[in-house]
Structures are given as structure tokens and as C-alpha cells.
Amino acid sequence: MRNSLPVALLVGSLTLGGGSAGAQEPTPGDVTEQLGVQQVQVAPAGAAPPQSGDEVPTQPVVEEYLTDRLREADEVWTAFFARLGLAEPKVSYLIVTPESGPYKSNCGSLPVIHHNTPNAYYCGWDEASAGFAGTIYLPVTTMQRMWAGDIFGRQSVRKGDFAAAILTAHEFGHHVVHELSEQYRQPLPTGKWWELISDCMAGVWATSAYYRGTMQPGNFEEAVAALEAIGDTAITAEPHGTSEERKNALLTGYNGIPNRYPPGAPAACTETYWKYA
């Protein structure tokens, strides 16, 4: 499945602007840089909210779900970008199916991507559609397995669809960071920071889902569990951050930084994770 999406990023300077104390909380669907000061909290441990999906859906259902999440992310980032009067960058996505794949990326570090390749990817130099620099690759069978708690071959403690949502948002976060780097001529974060800042941007997107009213009970816990499942357990050539680091990055984007940035402020991500290994 091939499509192209415009995407935009909230930027004012390299450290992105968040809301101010006392800012009014937006109504669902009205997502601005001022998302209010109420902290969005994860349900207490042991609350055992209902799971959002115990059955593994069919491939067409997964494709539709992933496309919907990409479009939601597109709306959020495009609105932020347009509000600041910046040129609208664009990203393509490829949902890799048994019928459509495999794909070879122009990023030399990426493998040939099949429908069941155990990872999702972003390459800022792939142009799957003319004029759309940057491509997100989502292997459909790999994403489908997340409903059963299989996160890139590791088992999450929670089942549910929101694992696929947050990892899709993570790949979208890579594009957001890549475009910020291009627009402001700043070197990209390196090492684990490239991954952690994208986890944080996924948390920003999750805040918008909360305020829109589209997040179901237990969804955010699924997201946290998914990132914890795939955290680094040893020093690797391409580090992503430990389970704790990945969870904290997601929470930084989702909750903001108390007394500094409100929930969903990308500034919390750039200030905390725009670093170099």
C-alpha cells in the first residue's frame, strides 16, 4: 500500500515553544501548542484496564488502522507547522504487504524490507512518491503481531492495538526530527538520542489522541509496555535506549515537563533529547 502525506512540525527555534501556565485546556480536536497544564497520568499500577484488542485482526484491518494513525499524526504535525508559517514538508509511507513488497531503501543501513521484517523503519532520503522526501516503512505482518503482544519478536506484558499506534508514531517522529534538522540546518541527534527523541515525539502525538478523546482505557499502558519490551538490554552498534529510557522519553512527550512545558509540547523533546552520542 503506497500513499503520500504532508506533515508538519511545531517549531519556533531549536527549542520548541510550549504553552504557558494558566493556558486554557483545549477541547478534543483543537490541539495547539498550549495543551493546558493538567498532567496526563498513566493509570495506577494494578488498575488492570480492559485490553483494546485480544484478537489478531486481518491484514486489511491492520492496514486501515495504520493508515488512520498516520493520518492523525499528519494532522497534528501539519497544524503545528502551519500555525508558525513554515513550509510544509511531506512524507511518504509504505505498508509492506506480501503482495506489495519487498522494498529496498536508499538508506544503506536498512535491510530489504519484507511484510514480516521484524522492525519498522524510516529513511529521510527515500522518495517513494515524487516530491515527498522521507518514507516510513511498516511491515504489515510485523505490525499485525503487535495485537498479540509480539513487539518485533519480543513479548510485551500487554496486548492491544496501541502498541502498533505508538510505534507508527515513533517512525513519524523520525520524520519530524529530520525535517527540523533540514529546516534549521542542525545536525541530527545521534546514537540513542535519535531514537529517544522519536519516542518523545510519539508521546506528543499520544497527548493529542488523549485530548481528541480517541484514546481508550489501557491504550497508553500498551504503548509504555511496547517500548519497554524493545529497550536495549546490552550495548549495541545501533542503540535505541534502555527500557527505562524509552519509557521516560515517551512520558516526556506525553506529560511535558512540570513547571516548564505542558503535556504534548515538542519543546520538551528537543530540549531533553536533541543530543549527540
Side-chain angles (χ1 to χ4, degrees):
M1 184 174 184
R2 180 190 298 260
N3 269 293
S4 300
L5 293 171
V7 59
L9 171 64
L10 170 61
V11 289
S13 61
L14 182 57
T15 301
L16 307 184
S20 59
Q24 289 188 345
E25 199 171 289
T27 57
D30 177 24
V31 183
T32 70
E33 63 268 35
Q34 295 190 1
L35 283 174
V37 295
Q38 176 185 355
Q39 292 295 293
V40 182
Q41 299 292 348
V42 177
Q51 298 296 319
S52 60
D54 289 330
E55 296 183 1
V56 176
T58 63
Q59 178 182 311
V61 170
V62 174
E63 290 184 53
E64 181 179 6
Y65 181 83
L66 297 176
T67 300
D68 287 345
R69 303 295 79 76
L70 287 161
R71 292 193 181 282
E72 288 173 3
D74 170 61
E75 290 174 8
V76 171
W77 293 111
T78 296
F80 281 135
F81 210 100
R83 235 185 323 272
L84 294 176
L86 299 176
E88 183 179 33
K90 300 176 181 179
V91 63
S92 296
Y93 70 88
L94 292 168
I95 298 178
V96 186
T97 69
E99 298 78 23
S100 67
Y103 290 100
K104 180 68 178 76
S105 169
N106 289 317
C107 287
S109 62
L110 299 187
V112 175
I113 304 165
H114 298 262
H115 68 96
N116 58 354
T117 299
N119 212 329
Y121 301 95
Y122 167 76
C123 178
W125 293 271
D126 283 353
E127 192 173 309
S129 299
F132 286 69
T135 298
I136 295 168
Y137 298 91
L138 301 175
V140 69
T141 302
T142 297
M143 306 303 285
Q144 184 181 36
R145 290 170 178 160
M146 293 183 186
W147 269 255
D150 180 343
I151 315 298
F152 302 150
R154 297 188 188 178
Q155 189 61 39
S156 172
V157 297
R158 287 183 175 269
K159 300 177 183 179
D161 55 8
F162 213 70
I166 209 66
L167 288 164
T168 297
H170 167 93
E171 298 306 328
F172 215 116
H174 279 314
H175 182 68
V176 168
V177 175
H178 189 267
E179 286 298 330
L180 179 60
S181 172
E182 291 286 308
Q183 294 264 358
Y184 286 89
R185 299 181 181 179
Q186 295 285 342
L188 287 167
T190 58
K192 68 180 181 181
W193 306 110
W194 167 244
E195 300 297 338
L196 291 175
I197 197 170
S198 298
D199 288 337
C200 189
M201 292 299 185
V204 171
W205 169 80
T207 308
S208 75
Y210 174 88
Y211 281 109
R212 288 167 182 244
T214 59
M215 188 180 291
Q216 300 175 3
N219 276 170
F220 193 75
E221 290 81 0
E222 293 166 20
V224 170
L227 291 181
E228 287 182 321
I230 55 176
D232 294 335
T233 57
I235 297 174
T236 63
E238 296 183 358
H240 284 63
T242 66
S243 296
E244 189 70 12
E245 287 173 327
R246 299 200 70 172
K247 177 183 76 173
N248 288 339
L250 183 69
L251 287 168
T252 298
Y254 190 59
N255 278 329
I257 300 174
N259 303 316
R260 186 165 180 81
Y261 298 113
C269 300
T270 56
E271 183 174 297
T272 306
Y273 295 107
W274 199 293
K275 298 178 180 180
Y276 307 95

